[in-house]
Amino acid sequence: MSEATHTLDMTMMFAVHDALRRDLAQLARVSATADDDPRQILRAAVGWEMFKSFLRVHHTSEDVAVWGPMKTRLADQPDRALLDAMEAEHAAIDPLLDAVDAAIADRESGPQRLGDVVDALYLSVAGHLRHEEDEGLRLVESVLTPGQWAAFGQDHRNRVGAESARYLPWLLQGAAPETVAAILGRMPEEIKRAYATEWRAEYLDVRPWNPRIR
């Protein structure tokens, strides 16, 4: 969907998707590291923990505040099949996250397994994001009211909760200037000030994935 076709404000949705794609690329780079054990890198990577946490926040909010209300509206309609597919794709991702963690913890066969499970996770998440953008969001815009879409945003913010100081820099890292301006422009002044003076620098100092991988 192009931005010109949106009837709902999709700025945050696409920003989250872009952040997840960015982290998928980082995860693939780490898992392909040849001169270090990638399991040790991922075990200590704050970026991996944030990726898992914020992906689950995003998908849980969608399941509760987007696909749930839509299922009620589309209970006996053909479009219900697309909702079922979106939920099935979400359900397939959590076991892959767990499989990566299991490979990280496995001292014997973990190094051999890690590349395969990371590849599977990459394909699953990237495929889902593309499917959602190509088909799911068009259906969302045809069914949900602006009030219901705003409720999804609020549910998402509630689930992020106390992690806002890490979430906002995570979301905006590498984002296009117009995206950063659009998202910060809707934030309260105290949040914008905290991001500019504290949160962003603290996030970068952590070096979420590895001191050598930014």
Side-chain angles (χ1 to χ4, degrees), residues 48-59:
W48 169 238
E49 296 303 319
M50 285 193 288
F51 172 78
K52 290 188 295 180
S53 175
F54 297 144
L55 175 62
R56 283 170 169 150
V57 163
H58 185 64
H59 282 177

Side-chain angles (χ1 to χ4, degrees), residues 13-213:
M13 175 66 77
F14 279 98
V16 173
H17 284 195
D18 286 347
L20 293 171
R21 288 188 175 103
R22 178 204 67 221
D23 278 11
L24 282 173
Q26 293 280 38
L27 178 60
R29 289 172 62 187
V30 171
S31 67
T33 300
D35 56 342
D36 291 304
D37 184 346
R39 295 174 309 143
Q40 293 181 0
I41 297 173
L42 288 176
R43 194 177 295 121
V46 176
W48 169 238
E49 296 303 319
M50 285 193 288
F51 172 78
K52 290 188 295 180
S53 175
F54 297 144
L55 175 62
R56 283 170 169 150
V57 163
H58 185 64
H59 282 177
T60 302
S61 290
E62 285 185 335
D63 288 340
V64 170
V66 177
W67 312 131
M70 290 177 68
K71 284 197 297 185
T72 301
R73 288 277 302 276
L74 300 174
D76 300 317
Q77 299 184 33
D79 285 332
R80 171 63 187 267
L82 179 56
L83 300 185
D84 292 341
M86 292 290 106
E87 290 190 316
E89 288 167 13
H90 280 189
I93 289 169
D94 265 350
L96 292 173
L97 296 174
D98 293 339
V100 174
D101 277 331
I104 292 170
D106 185 348
R107 294 184 177 182
E108 296 181 2
S109 60
Q112 291 74 39
R113 294 166 50 201
L114 183 61
D116 289 341
V117 294
V118 167
D119 286 348
L121 176 64
Y122 189 106
L123 291 173
S124 182
V125 175
H128 169 68
L129 297 178
R130 184 170 57 252
H131 190 193
E132 188 171 279
E133 291 171 358
D134 289 347
E135 299 185 55
L137 295 183
R138 185 176 292 108
L139 184 60
V140 167
E141 291 190 313
S142 73
V143 174
L144 292 189
T145 66
Q148 289 173 314
W149 186 245
F152 161 60
Q154 185 59 57
D155 184 271
H156 200 287
R157 288 189 293 275
N158 291 344
R159 292 180 192 279
V160 171
E163 287 293 294
S164 294
R166 292 206 300 179
Y167 179 77
L168 191 57
W170 172 86
L171 178 69
L172 298 181
Q173 183 188 9
E178 57 270 24
T179 299
V180 175
I183 290 174
L184 290 179
R186 67 186 66 183
M187 299 290 173
E189 285 301 320
E190 61 269 22
I191 297 296
K192 288 191 284 188
R193 188 180 311 112
Y195 171 80
T197 62
E198 300 175 34
W199 295 355
R200 184 173 182 274
E202 290 172 356
Y203 173 85
L204 293 176
D205 282 345
V206 168
R207 299 193 177 191
W209 289 93
N210 182 268
R212 296 180 290 106
I213 300 177

